[in-house]
Amino acid sequence: MRYPNFDVLRLLLAVQVAFVHGWAYTDTKFNWAGYIMAVPAFLAISGFLVLKSYEESGSVTLFMRKRALRLLPALAVSILLCFVLFNWQVAWDSFIIWLTGGLISRGDISNSPLWSLVWEELAYFVLIVLWGIGAYMRKIAIWILFFSSLLIVDWALKFSSHTQIIVQLMPAFFIGNLAYLY
């Protein structure tokens, strides 16, 4: 079964992310906290769709191949464009942002939105582990993980806003998982 409304939601979220990043680069006084919910919303949608994808894949290898074909070509093109449009340092800094999930940012100019991809990839790995131990066969396990992740979000309120956004990805992913399970 295909869910075309998710495509529309993802397009709207992508436009929001692009608009906000463009605005933030051109206006140093930009400060709109509402934009930070776009990435958790993406991960909630992914939590739904990738659980479906994994269930239909039939093997970890096929699932990982599908995920790699979805993310890695765009990542490679993005980093290549950073190199072509700017220089090797911007491309390298963008790669470091992706690799570290934005926890390390070495330069002023980089493709900073890449930070979220590694966290999505980590969520895929968590899904594989949870599937392997049978957690998706017992919905209560996913509920427990969801509520536990909310406690972690509350605990993380004392950290930087970027860290808070990263931590918010956990419950978002489990919300998507639960929506698929129900």
Side-chain angles (χ1 to χ4, degrees):
M1 176 175 211
R2 178 113 172 94
Y3 299 95
N5 289 336
F6 281 133
D7 294 336
V8 173
L9 282 172
R10 287 192 290 194
L11 175 63
L12 292 173
L13 290 167
V15 167
Q16 178 187 4
V17 167
F19 177 77
V20 166
H21 280 281
W23 187 356
Y25 282 127
T26 60
D27 181 2
T28 58
K29 295 180 181 118
F30 174 78
N31 187 14
W32 176 51
Y35 83 91
I36 64 171
M37 293 314 296
V39 176
F42 265 118
L43 213 63
I45 293 168
S46 285
F48 183 97
L49 294 175
V50 298
L51 183 53
K52 175 185 183 297
S53 174
Y54 189 84
E55 188 175 62
E56 293 174 352
S57 292
S59 76
V60 172
T61 305
L62 180 57
F63 174 74
M64 291 306 295
R65 185 177 318 131
K66 290 192 303 188
R67 297 299 99 216
L69 288 173
R70 183 164 178 83
L71 291 175
L72 296 180
L75 173 66
V77 167
S78 175
I79 291 174
L80 180 64
L81 280 173
C82 287
F83 176 74
V84 169
L85 297 174
F86 299 100
N87 57 42
W88 71 270
Q89 188 64 48
V90 172
W92 178 251
D93 291 344
S94 298
F95 176 77
I96 295 298
I97 283 174
W98 165 73
L99 189 64
T100 65
L103 295 175
I104 297 174
S105 179
R106 298 171 26 108
D108 293 334
I109 300 175
S110 62
N111 189 353
S112 59
L114 292 178
W115 72 266
S116 64
L117 291 180
V118 77
W119 298 108
E120 184 163 348
E121 294 158 4
L122 181 61
Y124 300 159
F125 177 73
V126 167
L127 183 146
I128 291 167
V129 170
L130 291 175
W131 187 279
I133 64 172
Y136 290 106
M137 300 304 287
R138 298 180 267 319
K139 295 175 188 171
I140 188 69
I142 305 306
W143 279 106
I144 290 168
L145 289 168
F146 169 66
F147 285 116
S148 298
S149 68
L150 289 178
L151 292 173
I152 294 169
V153 167
D154 183 59
W155 169 78
L157 291 175
K158 59 186 166 197
F159 295 110
S160 72
S161 60
H162 183 70
T163 302
Q164 290 178 38
I165 295 168
I166 291 169
V167 173
Q168 290 171 9
L169 299 177
M170 289 187 297
F173 188 72
F174 291 128
I175 285 170
N177 286 175
L178 288 166
Y180 180 75
L181 291 173
Y182 285 96

